[in-house]
Amino acid sequence: MAALLLRGEVLSFSGDTPPDGESHPGVNHLPDAVVRIDDGTISAVVDAHEYQRDGGDLGNCETTQGLIIPGLIDTHIHYPQMDIIGSYGSQLMEWLDSYAFPAELAYASQELAQLKAEAFLDRLFSHGTTTSLTFTSVHAHSTDALFSAASKRNVRLIAGKVLMNREAPAGLCDGPGDGIAESAALIERWHGQGRLSYAVTPRFAITCTDEQLTRAGELLARDESIYLHTHLSEHPNEIAYTLSLFPDATDYVDVYDRFGMVGARSVFAHGIHLSDREHARLSDAGSSIAFCPTSNLFLGSGLLDLARLRDAGVNMGVATDVGGGTSFSMLRTLGEGYKVAQLTGQNWHPLAALHTATTGNARILHLADKIGQVAKGFEADLTILSPVADTVLGARIRDSKSLTERLLAFYMLEEQAIERTIVNGETVFKRSAA
Ligand code: GUN
Ligand code: ZN
């Protein structure tokens, strides 16, 4: 396959610490660079003048006026919930009953699950997202459908069949033993195949019996490369109900801990209302919280205290949580995260936010050596941002000299900012000409 040569401004991040300014050593900013891609891998990222000086022909490059960044990573999203974004009138527990469960019941149809799996990937790409950690539905065929679609398009994706066997409509409940056996079979079929990995996915403790959680924990313990993906401490009503169902547990984190689910590959969505003890335990275990600002605002769940999490040494990623979340756009998610920080008297630097959505999210998925950077040796998942002509924000981006200001304006421009998305070296989305 011929090499792809892209010329443009490049922004990427290295290191674990989210940057607090443009001069931070982890900010890798090249105003004019050539990115070379061979067989799905980034083989070089060099300054354009150096490239020319070393005999390279800039005329062979595809040149963009946009900003080349690592493909965005979403660390918590529900593929069967894409059609219920923005559902009116309720908070978490009622929202699940009124909207999420009915939507997921429809995935009993294998045909629908397959159609939606393709549509889901298209939506990720048109919003600049190249990897996601994804809830499917309780139906094993929905997980097969998503892995199969991702495999065809060479997408790096982590997903898992939802485990749930109580407190939900009968059509969404695993029968005795079935969910675990199906999860084990899905692991056999998909985990480690190409760019795919499996996450054991109990919906949350409320919808899983002790027995199901015990067996899920055992399944997880069989292979340390498998992930654990669930919800934690999202809404006060959910927390109270959880503790009433598990009266012996010290707190919500302890509920999962008792089943061997608090480890370095555990990603817990939300984690808004945790105690100091819970923070300390998550930090010790190396577990991660996925910050879901659009969902937390939309469902009225609460404002995550970013500084408290950081000071407690808990890893934090960022995620859309579609369909409780209101957009597939990680850019919009970062913009809403900025506002959550504002409301808690903090500042989430736009560079820190993009670090979190790229190499930071890769790190919590233990993939930081493979994705999340525009750098030599990384898998060629890239997103190009550029302003849309004739928008107020577009003009602001073009006029601004500051990278920080431009990034924040890109967040406000949301999915309109996505010029092109590249997965494994192939263009999977290109904005059509206006
Ligand atoms: N907790 C349990 N299930 C869900 C879900 O589907 N969405 C959100 N936001 N929280 C949950
Ligand atoms: Zn969720």
Side-chain angles (χ1 to χ4, degrees):
M1 208 204 295
L4 172 63
L5 290 162
L6 280 176
R7 179 182 178 189
E9 181 181 1
V10 172
L11 176 63
S12 180
F13 304 93
S14 48
D16 292 344
T17 318
D20 53 4
E22 293 175 25
S23 56
H24 189 281
V27 178
N28 303 321
H29 180 218
L30 294 169
D32 186 9
V34 175
V35 180
R36 183 185 164 112
I37 297 171
D38 286 283
D39 295 327
T41 301
I42 299 171
S43 47
V45 182
V46 287
D47 176 81
H49 292 107
E50 264 176 49
Y51 181 79
Q52 200 168 32
R53 200 190 52 211
D54 295 343
D57 181 356
L58 291 174
N60 292 334
C61 299
E62 290 182 38
T63 301
T64 173
Q65 301 306 315
L67 179 66
I68 303 171
I69 62 169
L72 298 163
I73 300 171
D74 188 342
T75 47
H76 178 68
I77 184 165
H78 299 251
Y79 116 78
Q81 293 181 7
M82 52 184 177
D83 297 326
I84 56 162
I85 290 176
S87 296
Y88 171 72
S90 52
Q91 300 205 351
L92 177 63
M93 299 305 282
E94 305 79 44
W95 176 86
L96 285 172
D97 286 335
S98 310
Y99 300 110
F101 291 160
E104 293 183 24
L105 273 168
Y107 282 67
S109 157
Q110 187 167 356
E111 197 185 348
L112 178 91
Q114 282 166 347
L115 282 174
K116 294 290 182 181
E118 301 287 348
F120 175 75
L121 294 181
D122 288 339
R123 290 287 176 211
L124 290 180
F125 300 156
S126 64
H127 291 75
T129 298
T130 52
T131 283
S132 65
L133 172 60
T134 309
F135 265 61
T136 63
S137 72
V138 74
H139 316 96
H141 63 238
S142 76
T143 316
D144 278 318
L146 187 61
F147 276 136
S148 170
S151 162
K152 273 190 288 177
R153 302 203 221 175
N154 279 319
V155 185
R156 188 166 275 290
L157 178 120
I158 309 171
K161 182 203 111 63
V162 172
L163 290 165
M164 52 199 290
N165 63 355
R166 66 171 176 188
E167 302 278 341
L172 285 184
C173 286
D174 290 311
D178 293 353
I180 303 297
E182 284 170 357
S183 303
L186 285 162
I187 291 169
E188 279 295 309
R189 274 203 288 288
W190 297 109
H191 184 63
Q193 298 299 320
R195 305 184 79 199
L196 309 175
S197 301
Y198 197 82
V200 171
T201 309
R203 176 168 218 116
F204 61 167
I206 289 174
T207 52
C208 303
T209 58
D210 276 52
E211 203 224 333
Q212 191 176 47
L213 290 171
T214 302
R215 299 196 51 214
E218 287 164 3
L219 183 61
L220 192 63
R222 295 212 311 232
D223 181 343
E224 63 181 24
S225 66
I226 292 170
Y227 298 84
L228 184 280
H229 184 199
T230 190
H231 297 91
L232 169 69
S233 197
E234 177 176 1
H235 190 281
N237 297 347
E238 167 225 11
I239 299 165
Y241 194 35
T242 304
L243 296 180
S244 77
L245 292 172
F246 296 89
D248 295 340
T250 313
D251 47 39
Y252 203 158
V253 167
D254 190 45
V255 171
Y256 292 127
D257 221 355
R258 287 165 175 246
F259 299 103
M261 293 181 173
V262 180
R265 283 185 184 236
S266 303
V267 177
F268 296 105
H270 307 286
I272 306 170
H273 309 283
L274 297 169
S275 66
D276 289 347
R277 194 211 78 83
E278 290 174 295
H279 279 151
R281 177 64 193 126
L282 294 176
S283 168
D284 281 351
S287 302
S288 303
I289 296 294
F291 173 32
C292 305
T294 74
S295 169
N296 296 345
L297 293 169
F298 184 73
L299 294 176
S301 302
L303 304 173
L304 186 71
D305 186 337
L306 303 186
R308 189 163 165 246
L309 216 58
R310 185 196 57 222
D311 294 346
V314 181
N315 302 323
M316 190 193 79
V318 59
T320 62
D321 191 28
V322 160
T326 55
S327 170
F328 269 74
S329 169
M330 286 299 295
L331 299 178
R332 188 193 302 196
T333 302
L334 302 184
E336 296 301 291
Y338 177 85
K339 295 177 197 171
V340 168
Q342 289 279 48
L343 284 168
T344 52
Q346 300 172 30
N347 178 271
W348 202 26
H349 196 286
L351 288 162
L354 192 59
H355 174 284
T356 306
T358 56
T359 192
N361 272 350
R363 179 169 164 253
I364 74 164
L365 300 178
H366 295 254
L367 293 170
D369 57 338
K370 294 186 170 61
I371 56 171
Q373 290 192 45
V374 185
K376 186 176 172 190
F378 279 74
E379 295 173 2
D381 292 347
L382 306 171
T383 295
I384 303 180
L385 309 181
S386 72
V388 187
D390 265 351
T391 59
V392 173
L393 286 162
R396 176 156 164 69
I397 290 165
R398 275 188 298 272
D399 293 346
S400 176
K401 299 258 180 307
S402 145
L403 187 57
T404 302
E405 299 282 346
R406 271 195 293 150
L407 279 186
L408 198 52
F410 271 131
Y411 302 162
M412 309 292 139
L413 200 54
E414 308 168 354
E415 63 268 32
Q416 289 186 83
I418 307 301
E419 177 184 299
R420 181 169 172 181
T421 307
I422 295 173
V423 165
N424 206 48
E426 299 286 335
T427 298
V428 291
F429 172 79
K430 212 167 194 173
R431 185 200 291 153
S432 42

